[in-house]
Amino acid sequence: MLKKMGTVLIGSFLLLIFASSCFAADKYIVKIASVVPETQSQHIALRDFFKKYVEEKSGGRMVVEIYPNGQLGGERQAIESVQLGTIHMTVTALAVLSGFEPRFQVFDLPFLFKDKPSAYKALDGELGDKLNQLLPSLGIINLAFVENGFRHITNNRAPIHKPADLKGLKIRTMENPIHMASFRALGANPTPMSFGELYTALQQKTVDAQENPIPLIYTTKFYEVQKYATLTGHVYAATTFLCNDTWFNNLPKDLQKIVKDGAVLFRDEQRKLTEAQDKEMLALLKQSGMQINELTQAEKDDFIKATAPVYEEFSKSVPGGKDFIELARKNSH
């Protein structure tokens, strides 16, 4: 009797282990790396829309874990981790992705887009599609283009109204050849460093200036270490929602669709949030005591003229560069 009971218990135990292992196998943990703080629109939209949508629509089969504030490394490290599959997804600046595929640098050309609708048309259309086709060979795919918004310059020296005001200014940029070439053309001294090091570098005066969209300037509290902000809008800062190619293609088809649909929802809601944060946080920067000036069209024209040689440089140094510039301009109007 005891022997029979023992056999039943062992059988039940083994069945429980098998059932547990099957349940675990049906669970998909999705790790997403980001460098932005929790107050920034990317994190809010990931948390409130993508995570919520994917977990609900998958019936709990997918569990989304978001790691903001560069917890899993800088943007370049995050892309490399997604390539390796140690992280499933990352939201990262196009300017950083272009270090892996130079043709993405077309989006970093100065004053390429006059407004956000023009940028959306190019990103979500033919140009974005052509560029996305280059990524699977790198082991990654782009689920959606989201945004940081237009980039503006802050510094501690003086308000900026003309290219000459940037002469000799040591400005932090991303490790991006187009960004660096643009600021060299304006007479500045571009100094690439990771975003995570920037606040301390400004505080310690390792660099004099930086350039970022309004929400990042505010949420990262650059107003504490920078006095002047100039609304140059010199580059529209697009962001990619990258995913490991192999991992995604190995998901069941229904989960692939949920992830894709969730990414589109994330994109649309994040863009709305960014637009709202631009207005709200510009007002908060003014309240913080930061002096803000906007370029007149005549002043902006001087900057456009000064950076025009960067387009020629891109055309010569990047395969098919001229074609991508023409495609960007055609698709944005």
Side-chain angles (χ1 to χ4, degrees):
M1 181 68 181
L2 285 172
K3 187 176 179 182
K4 186 177 180 182
M5 188 180 293
T7 303
V8 170
L9 286 171
I10 290 169
S12 300
F13 180 68
L14 290 173
L15 185 62
L16 184 62
I17 290 174
F18 177 76
S20 299
S21 66
C22 287
F23 178 74
D26 287 338
K27 281 274 189 184
Y28 296 87
I29 306 297
V30 186
K31 290 186 177 182
I32 306 177
S34 167
V35 298
V36 301
E38 290 94 332
T39 49
Q40 210 262 0
S41 61
Q42 283 178 21
H43 179 82
I44 294 169
L46 272 177
R47 181 194 67 205
D48 295 351
F49 296 100
F50 182 77
K51 174 180 168 68
K52 185 177 179 182
Y53 180 89
V54 167
E55 290 182 346
E56 286 183 358
K57 290 293 182 181
S58 69
R61 289 162 64 200
M62 302 193 87
V63 178
V64 177
E65 298 177 355
I66 306 167
Y67 297 87
N69 289 310
Q71 292 176 40
L72 301 182
E75 289 180 294
R76 184 173 184 84
Q77 289 172 291
I79 294 173
E80 290 169 348
S81 295
V82 170
Q83 286 180 304
L84 292 169
T86 53
I87 298 172
H88 304 105
M89 298 179 183
T90 186
V91 183
T92 186
L94 262 179
V96 180
L97 179 60
S98 65
F100 294 79
E101 172 43 73
R103 282 166 283 194
F104 275 91
Q105 291 176 31
V106 66
F107 289 115
D108 296 307
L109 289 166
F111 306 102
L112 180 65
F113 301 119
K114 62 179 181 178
D115 53 32
K116 288 186 177 184
S118 297
Y120 298 160
K121 189 175 178 185
L123 288 161
D124 301 339
E126 186 183 359
L127 178 61
D129 288 343
K130 272 189 174 296
L131 288 166
N132 283 340
Q133 289 168 20
L134 303 172
L135 295 178
S137 63
L138 301 175
I140 50 180
I141 57 173
N142 179 32
L143 295 170
F145 289 102
V146 289
E147 73 176 17
N148 277 331
F150 281 97
R151 302 180 79 86
H152 308 290
I153 299 170
T154 72
N155 81 102
N156 272 329
R157 192 162 73 181
I160 294 165
H161 290 280
K162 54 188 181 298
D165 294 333
L166 285 166
K167 188 171 177 61
L169 194 70
K170 196 171 184 181
I171 183 167
R172 176 268 176 181
T173 67
M174 287 182 277
E175 292 183 35
N176 179 283
I178 298 294
H179 285 208
M180 295 171 72
S182 298
F183 281 103
R184 277 195 295 267
L186 293 168
N189 179 14
T191 307
M193 68 173 62
S194 74
F195 185 76
E197 299 170 357
L198 180 51
Y199 184 96
T200 303
L202 292 167
Q203 190 177 45
Q204 296 177 349
K205 305 189 188 314
T206 306
V207 291
D208 310 305
Q210 66 86 44
E211 45 87 50
N212 262 300
I214 292 296
L216 274 177
I217 293 170
Y218 181 75
T219 56
T220 319
K221 300 185 178 180
F222 288 151
Y223 56 83
E224 294 178 345
V225 288
Q226 295 274 270
K227 188 174 181 180
Y228 305 99
T230 301
L231 305 184
T232 49
H234 52 280
V235 168
Y236 172 78
T239 305
T240 49
F241 190 22
L242 301 179
C243 178
N244 178 273
D245 184 37
T246 303
W247 176 82
F248 179 81
N249 288 321
N250 283 335
L251 287 174
K253 294 295 182 186
D254 63 321
L255 294 186
Q256 287 183 19
K257 185 177 187 312
I258 287 168
V259 169
K260 280 185 175 180
D261 291 346
V264 171
L265 176 66
F266 165 55
R267 178 196 71 192
D268 294 345
E269 295 299 331
Q270 191 269 343
R271 286 175 177 174
K272 291 177 194 173
L273 280 170
T274 301
E275 186 66 24
Q277 284 193 344
D278 274 348
K279 295 173 183 174
E280 175 194 353
M281 293 179 182
L282 181 59
L284 291 170
L285 285 175
K286 291 176 181 176
Q287 288 177 27
S288 75
M290 185 173 254
Q291 294 184 37
I292 295 169
N293 67 290
E294 191 165 0
L295 298 180
T296 65
Q297 188 56 54
E299 288 174 333
K300 186 171 276 194
D301 287 343
D302 288 338
F303 282 82
I304 293 171
K305 185 178 178 181
T307 55
V310 178
Y311 281 73
E312 187 177 350
E313 186 177 328
F314 174 81
S315 296
K316 289 178 179 178
S317 63
V318 175
K322 188 176 180 181
D323 294 337
F324 277 104
I325 290 172
E326 289 175 2
L327 198 57
R329 285 173 167 160
K330 183 184 83 172
N331 278 255
S332 64
H333 297 96

